[in-house]
Amino acid sequence: MECNKDEAIRAKTIAEKKLSDKDYVGAKKFILKAQTLYPGLDGVSQMLTTLDVYIASENIIGEEMDWYGILGANPNDDDETIKRHYRKLALMLHPDKNKSVGADGAFKLLSEAWSLLSDKAQRLAYNQKCRRGLQANGPSQSGGPPAAANGVAKRATTKPSSSRNHPVPGYNPPVVRPPAAAAAPQVVSRRTDTFWTICHACKMHYEYLNKYLDEILRCPNCNQCFVAKEMPPPSNLPNSTVPQRHQNPGPPPSGLNTDPSIATKAASVVKQVNDRLKREREELYSVWPSKKNKVDDGSRSSGVKIMSTGNIFNNFVNRSRRELSPFETKHMLMRRARAEIRKMLKEWDSMEKSKENKVSQNSQTPDQQEEEEEEQVAMTVPDPDFHDFDLDRTENSFEDNQVWSAYDDDDGMPRFYALIHKVLSRKPLKMKISWLNSKTTAEFGSFDWLGYGFRKTLGEFRIGRHEVNTSLNSFSQKVEWKRSPRGTVIILPRKGQVWALYRNWSRDWNESIPDDVIHKYDMVQVLEDYNEEQGVPVSPLIKFAGFRTVFHPQTEVKVIPKEEMFRFSHQVPMYLLTGSEAHNSPKDCLELDPAATPLDLIQESTGTNDNSQQK
C-alpha cells in the first residue's frame, strides 16, 4: 500500500502541474489514476470537483459559457434544484476548505454561474441565447472523442450515470450498445413516432420521441448540450433488423426501449415543464412597462438647466422595474386607497346634490391635481462657474459594465444606482440596465435606515431585472464599484471623492422627521478609502467667496465611524480647478456639479477666499 501511495502522490503532483498549465483533461486523467492507486489520498475528491468545474467552463454553447454545466445542473431544473447544486459545490470549492490548486478560480466560476442562474430574467435571456446560438452555428464538435468506423464511439457502451441529466425527469433515453456477438438478426417494423439523433461531443446515438426534435438536450453520457437534429440510425443498427431479443420478455440487448407507456409518461412530463416555464415567462413580462417614456434631452441651455423632478421620477423610475422599498410600497398603497375613497365620496356627493347644482368643471380628484402640480414644478439649476459638467455625461460617456448614479424623487439628488449591462445605441441613446436594490443595512449595524423610508447610497446592493433605458438627463455620474464573491455590487467612499453629509443626522431619525431638517447638507472630501474598523476620514469643504459652485477643503479632519455611514447622503461630481480655466479661477479649488448640490448651498453668499484657512 505504501508503494501505491507513493505512486498516487506522484500522479497527483503531475495532475496539479497539468492543472496549472490549463490541461484540465490531462489533469483529470492523472488525478483519477491517483484515486485508483490510493483512494484515501488527501485532496483527491476536492481536486476532482475543481477539475469538473474547469472542464465544464470550456464548453461554449453558441457564444455563451455553459453555466448549467459548471453547476452540474440541467436547463430545465427548477430554482430549488439549482440552489442545491450551488450550495453543494460551494461547500466543496470554498477556498477556506479546498486548498487544491485552482480552487479559487473554480469558486469564482461557480459564483458567476449562480449569480446569473439565480436571477429569473438573466436565466431566461441566457436560455434564449443558447438556443439561438446552437441553432445558428450548430453544436460544437471540439473536444469530443473520434468516431469509430461504424459511427459510434467506443464510449457508447457506457451506461448513463443518472437519469437526471435528461431534460424530462423520469425518462431515460435509449442508448445504443454494440449488439451481442451471438445475437441473430430478426426482421421487425420500425417505429414512426421516434427519431434518431447524435451528441456531437461524444458521438453517442439516441432515439427520442418526435416531440424532442430540434430541442436543446443534455447528453447523459458526456453532460454536454446539443441540438437534437434528426440523423440516420447508427450503422450497427440495420434498416430492417434489430438485435434479437432474449427469451424472457424485456428490452432488447441493444438497450432500445420501445415500451409505449414511456412515450405517454414523457409527453406528460414535458407538458408540465412547458406549462411551468410559460407561467414564469408570463409573470416576468407582466411587470414590464407598457410604454418607453423618454425624458426630453433638449432641456440643456446656456443659461440654466430645467429639470422636472416629477417627470423624471414618474417616467424614468416608477415605470421601470426598480424594486420598491417596504416604506415606498406602504405609501403607494395608502395613496391609492385615499384616491379610491375620495372618488367614492365624490360619487356619493354627486348623487345627493340636486339637479340644479352645476357639476364642477374640474373633475379631477385632489390627488390627481396634486400630481399634475408636482409634474409642473421645475427645479432651476444654475450653470457652474467654470466647468461644464454636462460634457461628462454625454451619450459617449456610457460604457458596458459601468454603474451610474441617477436623481431620485425626494429632493432631486443622485441617490439611485443603475448597472449598465450593454450600450445598444448612442444616437439615440439606448442601454440595457438594471437598477441596484437593497433590503438590508446589516453591513453598517442594526439601524433600520430603509424601514424609515430613507435611501441607501452605500454598502451592498443586489442587481435587479433587466430593462431598456433611453433617458440621458436622469443620470449624474459614473460611480466606482466592485463585485463581491456573491455577485452583488459594493459601493463605498473612495479617496478623493466628494460627498454630501446630512448636517442634522441622528440615529433617532424616523419617518416623522420633517423635510426641512433632513435636507440640510455639508460638503466633504474623502481623505482615505473606507475601512471597516476605522471608518472614513473626511475634510469639510467651505464655499469660496464670490462664486456659486466653488469650494475649497479645510485642514480639519473628521472621522465618520462605521455605525454612522448612513450620514452620507449622495456623491457629488466635482472638477479640480487648475487656474487656467479663466483669469479669476482659483487654483486647487473644487467646483461641484450644481445639479447634485443643494440649492441653499449654491445661493449661500458666505464663504472665504483663503485656501489655507481652517474652519
Side-chain angles (χ1 to χ4, degrees):
M1 290 299 292
E2 288 299 325
C3 178
N4 288 346
K5 184 176 181 180
D6 294 339
E7 290 294 330
I9 294 175
R10 193 174 297 111
K12 182 184 176 184
T13 303
I14 297 174
E16 291 175 345
K17 184 177 184 303
K18 287 185 175 292
L19 194 154
S20 300
D21 297 337
K22 297 185 178 181
D23 181 7
Y24 304 129
V25 176
K28 187 172 182 179
K29 176 181 176 182
F30 278 94
I31 198 64
L32 287 174
K33 179 180 178 182
Q35 187 181 46
T36 304
L37 290 171
Y38 197 82
L41 187 63
D42 292 338
V44 171
S45 60
Q46 290 89 340
M47 192 171 182
L48 271 174
T49 305
T50 302
L51 285 169
D52 287 339
V53 171
Y54 281 117
I55 291 173
S57 68
E58 291 187 328
N59 181 37
I60 304 299
I61 305 175
E63 297 181 354
E64 298 289 332
M65 191 176 293
D66 184 9
W67 298 114
Y68 287 107
I70 291 175
L71 287 178
N74 300 310
N76 287 330
D77 283 346
D78 56 22
D79 295 341
E80 285 300 321
T81 303
I82 291 179
K83 187 175 183 180
R84 286 197 299 270
H85 283 288
Y86 168 71
R87 286 182 174 178
K88 179 181 177 181
L89 291 176
L91 289 175
M92 299 181 68
L93 292 174
H94 197 279
D96 293 342
K97 297 184 179 180
N98 191 339
K99 303 299 181 181
S100 62
V101 178
D104 291 344
F107 185 76
K108 290 180 180 178
L109 287 170
L110 188 71
S111 299
E112 291 180 16
W114 169 246
S115 176
L116 187 143
L117 297 180
S118 60
D119 187 285
K120 289 186 178 181
Q122 294 187 48
R123 182 181 177 186
L124 178 61
Y126 170 71
N127 289 342
Q128 293 173 348
K129 287 181 182 178
C130 291
R131 182 184 296 274
R132 288 195 298 266
L134 286 174
Q135 291 176 347
N137 303 326
S140 173
Q141 298 187 22
S142 61
N150 61 355
V152 181
K154 294 180 180 180
R155 289 172 55 187
T157 59
T158 304
K159 184 179 179 180
S161 58
S162 175
S163 61
R164 70 173 177 83
N165 293 325
H166 194 271
V168 182
Y171 175 68
N172 292 325
V175 181
V176 176
R177 298 184 176 84
Q186 178 183 1
V187 178
V188 296
S189 59
R190 188 64 53 83
R191 292 183 59 170
T192 60
D193 60 342
T194 61
F195 70 98
W196 282 91
T197 188
I198 184 173
C199 171
H200 290 268
C202 67
K203 310 302 180 186
M204 180 73 75
H205 284 75
Y206 297 103
E207 185 181 20
Y208 287 99
L209 295 172
N210 290 335
K211 289 181 175 291
Y212 305 121
L213 186 63
D214 294 331
E215 294 289 336
I216 299 178
L217 307 179
R218 186 180 293 279
C219 176
N221 183 53
C222 66
N223 207 32
Q224 304 296 323
C225 293
F226 67 97
V227 176
K229 297 288 185 182
E230 186 169 6
M231 293 287 185
S235 58
N236 65 337
L237 186 70
N239 292 332
S240 60
T241 63
V242 293
Q244 185 178 359
R245 298 178 180 271
H246 293 290
Q247 295 179 356
N248 295 330
S254 64
L256 299 180
N257 194 334
T258 58
D259 185 2
S261 63
I262 295 295
T264 304
K265 294 178 181 178
S268 175
V269 174
V270 169
K271 186 177 184 303
Q272 295 176 7
V273 172
N274 288 336
D275 291 344
R276 178 174 60 82
L277 293 176
K278 182 178 179 181
R279 287 195 301 270
E280 291 178 356
R281 285 195 295 270
E282 291 175 350
E283 293 174 358
L284 175 63
Y285 289 114
S286 64
V287 297
W288 284 23
S290 57
K291 296 182 181 178
K292 295 181 176 68
N293 298 278
K294 297 183 179 180
V295 177
D296 184 12
D297 291 338
S299 60
R300 299 181 188 174
S301 63
S302 59
V304 295
K305 181 178 179 182
I306 305 299
M307 298 177 59
S308 175
T309 57
N311 282 335
I312 288 178
F313 180 68
N314 292 333
N315 292 339
F316 179 61
V317 178
N318 267 353
R319 296 187 182 181
S320 70
R321 284 170 286 156
R322 185 185 66 82
E323 295 183 15
L324 299 179
S325 66
F327 184 84
E328 291 174 324
T329 303
K330 182 180 73 172
H331 280 265
M332 179 188 67
L333 295 176
M334 291 174 60
R335 188 169 185 174
R336 288 182 179 177
R338 285 197 300 267
E340 289 294 329
I341 293 173
R342 289 193 180 103
K343 182 179 178 181
M344 294 178 65
L345 290 174
K346 184 178 179 180
E347 291 177 356
W348 293 342
D349 188 55
S350 299
M351 294 172 61
E352 294 176 358
K353 286 182 179 180
S354 63
K355 295 181 180 181
E356 290 77 16
N357 292 337
K358 295 183 178 180
V359 179
S360 176
Q361 295 181 356
N362 184 7
S363 60
Q364 292 181 327
T365 63
D367 267 348
Q368 290 173 332
Q369 295 176 2
E370 180 183 346
E371 290 176 2
E372 183 176 349
E373 291 174 359
E374 181 181 352
E375 291 183 357
Q376 295 174 351
V377 173
M379 181 175 61
T380 302
V381 179
D383 278 348
D385 294 295
F386 300 103
H387 180 67
D388 187 0
F389 287 92
D390 285 336
L391 298 178
D392 299 332
R393 41 181 175 253
T394 63
E395 291 86 350
N396 296 325
S397 303
F398 296 88
E399 299 292 343
D400 298 349
N401 205 36
Q402 289 181 345
V403 173
W404 280 70
S405 59
Y407 303 106
D408 70 0
D409 62 317
D410 186 12
D411 58 346
M413 297 295 108
R415 297 189 183 93
F416 292 145
Y417 295 120
L419 173 63
I420 300 175
H421 297 286
K422 187 173 183 61
V423 178
L424 304 177
S425 66
R426 297 193 183 274
K427 292 189 178 180
L429 182 64
K430 188 176 182 181
M431 304 179 295
K432 182 184 290 186
I433 70 169
S434 290
W435 291 107
L436 302 186
N437 308 288
S438 183
K439 296 182 179 179
T440 178
T441 57
E443 61 266 48
F444 300 125
S446 58
F447 185 35
D448 190 14
W449 181 253
L450 296 176
Y452 293 137
F454 299 106
R455 304 290 184 197
K456 176 180 175 180
T457 56
L458 292 175
E460 189 174 8
F461 298 86
R462 296 181 296 109
I463 300 175
R465 300 187 180 97
H466 289 210
E467 68 175 66
V468 176
N469 176 266
T470 58
S471 177
L472 174 64
N473 283 350
S474 298
F475 292 102
S476 172
Q477 69 169 337
K478 183 176 68 174
V479 177
E480 295 185 59
W481 66 287
K482 65 178 181 179
R483 192 183 295 272
S484 71
R486 297 189 298 172
T488 56
V489 172
I490 296 178
I491 300 175
L492 293 170
R494 301 286 185 90
K495 182 179 179 179
Q497 294 177 348
V498 172
W499 285 77
L501 301 184
Y502 290 110
R503 181 180 300 169
N504 303 315
W505 185 88
S506 169
R507 291 185 63 88
D508 297 329
W509 274 16
N510 52 41
E511 62 270 14
S512 63
I513 299 297
D515 288 345
D516 57 349
V517 176
I518 297 174
H519 298 156
K520 296 293 183 182
Y521 305 95
D522 291 321
M523 295 297 175
V524 298
Q525 186 174 26
V526 179
L527 302 179
E528 296 292 340
D529 290 354
Y530 168 76
N531 183 287
E532 188 172 355
E533 296 180 356
Q534 300 176 1
V536 182
V538 298
S539 174
L541 297 179
I542 300 300
K543 184 82 171 288
F544 199 96
F547 299 100
R548 290 171 297 184
T549 58
V550 178
F551 292 74
H552 63 88
Q554 301 298 290
T555 57
E556 179 185 358
V557 177
K558 296 182 179 180
V559 178
I560 310 297
K562 170 185 174 182
E563 294 76 15
E564 297 183 9
M565 291 302 294
F566 292 120
R567 184 185 293 271
F568 286 86
S569 168
H570 59 277
Q571 188 177 349
V572 181
M574 63 89 177
Y575 177 78
L576 179 63
L577 298 175
T578 62
S580 60
E581 291 79 10
H583 69 280
N584 62 338
S585 61
K587 185 179 180 181
D588 295 331
C589 288
L590 300 177
E591 182 168 22
L592 306 186
D593 183 4
T597 305
L599 195 59
D600 59 341
L601 290 181
I602 296 176
Q603 297 173 346
E604 187 178 84
S605 59
T606 59
T608 177
N609 55 10
D610 183 6
N611 292 4
S612 62
Q613 180 181 350
Q614 297 184 10
K615 184 178 178 181

